[in-house]
Amino acid sequence: MKKMILMAAIAACLFTTNAFSQKIKGSDTCLPLTQTEAENFMNKNKGASVTVTGGGSGVGISALMEGTTDIAMSSRKMKFDEKVRLQEAKKNPKEVVIAYDALAVVVHPSNKVNNLTREQLEGIFTGKIKNWKEVGGEDLKIVAYSRETSSGTYEFFKESVLKNKNYMNGILSMPATGAIIQSVSQTKGAVGYVGLAYLNKDVKALHVSYDAGKSFVEPSLANAKNKTYPIVRPLFYYYETKAEGRVKPFIDYVLSAEGQSIVKNVGYIPVN
């Protein structure tokens, strides 16, 4: 009995030590969710300290390769070459889906355009459509904002909306999602894309059609959950298999009923 109590005490100490050193880095889309999850986790586990920083999905995965983060947040699946580099570094990554996110296309609140088809969005972000009057708006030059290339959101938008066509030359790349919100809110002809949780009154979210204009759907939690809104993607955590014991308490919390209620409250779609 004494031995069991001693083992439990050692395990508790190890948990506290590992949690104290736990670092999470990567996707700006995952950032507000993971920060909230970490705050609640630390409130429930007084000895724990979880540090969460953004920078983009590619930055998080690179940090995992370098051993400078315990968990990489990503809004896209890990690329083949990233998996190869991890294997070459004798690291075996494990993938966990922690939530889903709808990607909203946003414009300045004064913009009269409310609906765009996927084809129109492709034209705008590849540079073929240059003026809002071409899509039913006023005679105003389109100013397109994008995430930078290290962003998983950049990759997903290119894959889902542009059908893997290249972004226009000279597109304005922003280092963080918050910077897109700020830029679009201050520029009348602007358009950009952000995760659903970042939407606020400073920008207007457009209704999007993936059926050539037959139906336009608003980006919302309900529409993402019932799968009528077309631009939805999974959000991932990646970690080394050998670090599973260290990261599992936090990941288990995120996937718990309480953690998934936080997912919904922050503005994302729960896993179940």
Side-chain angles (χ1 to χ4, degrees):
M1 186 67 182
K2 285 182 180 178
K3 189 176 180 182
M4 287 178 67
I5 293 168
L6 180 62
M7 292 287 284
I10 290 169
C13 289
L14 283 171
F15 168 72
T16 301
T17 304
N18 288 333
F20 180 81
S21 63
Q22 200 162 108
K23 294 178 182 176
I24 305 174
K25 189 177 183 68
S27 166
D28 277 345
T29 300
C30 298
L31 187 62
L33 171 60
T34 304
Q35 284 174 330
T36 306
E37 297 278 12
E39 285 167 15
N40 283 272
F41 179 79
M42 287 186 287
N43 286 337
K44 294 178 78 71
N45 300 278
K46 295 302 180 186
S49 176
V50 184
T51 306
V52 186
T53 53
S57 300
V59 170
I61 292 168
S62 292
L64 190 66
M65 290 180 194
E66 294 159 5
T68 56
T69 193
D70 298 295
I71 298 172
M73 304 180 287
S74 183
S75 58
R76 60 164 173 81
K77 285 188 79 71
M78 190 178 284
K79 297 176 185 176
F80 177 75
D81 67 301
E82 290 170 333
K83 289 180 181 177
V84 169
R85 279 156 57 203
L86 274 161
Q87 286 168 358
E88 287 172 350
K90 308 241 182 300
K91 294 181 178 181
N92 184 24
K94 190 161 183 179
E95 175 188 284
V96 179
V97 176
I98 52 106
Y100 290 87
D101 178 46
L103 208 58
V105 177
V106 294
V107 295
H108 190 273
S110 67
N111 197 318
K112 293 177 182 178
V113 173
N114 294 310
N115 305 322
L116 287 176
T117 64
R118 187 207 63 77
E119 292 80 7
Q120 288 172 322
L121 287 170
E122 180 188 306
I124 287 169
F125 282 91
T126 57
K128 290 179 181 176
I129 297 174
K130 301 178 186 297
N131 194 297
W132 284 108
K133 68 181 179 182
E134 297 177 64
V135 290
E138 60 183 294
D139 186 1
L140 183 66
K141 181 186 175 184
I142 294 173
V143 182
Y145 287 92
S146 165
R147 284 299 313 281
E148 57 193 2
T149 55
S150 65
S151 162
T153 306
Y154 171 98
E155 297 274 358
F156 176 75
F157 192 83
K158 181 179 179 181
E159 180 184 316
S160 176
V161 180
L162 308 188
K163 299 303 176 187
N164 285 315
K165 294 181 177 67
N166 290 327
Y167 287 86
M168 63 188 284
N169 288 329
I171 197 164
L172 298 166
S173 296
M174 295 287 108
T177 304
I180 289 185
I181 291 284
Q182 184 177 13
S183 298
V184 171
S185 71
Q186 295 172 351
T187 310
K188 281 194 77 175
V191 61
Y193 51 85
V194 300
L196 192 63
Y198 281 87
L199 286 182
N200 61 31
K201 60 180 176 51
D202 298 326
V203 295
K204 182 173 83 171
L206 298 181
H207 295 53
V208 174
S209 171
Y210 263 47
D211 58 8
K214 292 175 188 173
S215 59
F216 291 90
V217 185
E218 176 188 8
S220 70
L221 192 63
N223 290 339
K225 197 169 182 180
N226 66 25
K227 298 180 180 177
T228 56
Y229 186 73
I231 317 176
V232 176
R233 58 186 172 162
L235 302 177
F236 304 98
Y237 282 171
Y238 287 99
Y239 61 90
E240 274 195 80
T241 304
K242 67 182 180 183
E244 189 157 28
R246 186 166 71 251
V247 302
K248 200 170 186 304
F250 179 72
I251 292 175
D252 283 350
Y253 175 73
V254 174
L255 294 174
S256 71
E258 184 176 330
Q260 289 295 295
S261 71
I262 292 169
V263 167
K264 188 175 180 181
N265 291 340
V266 175
Y268 298 82
I269 302 104
V271 172
N272 297 316

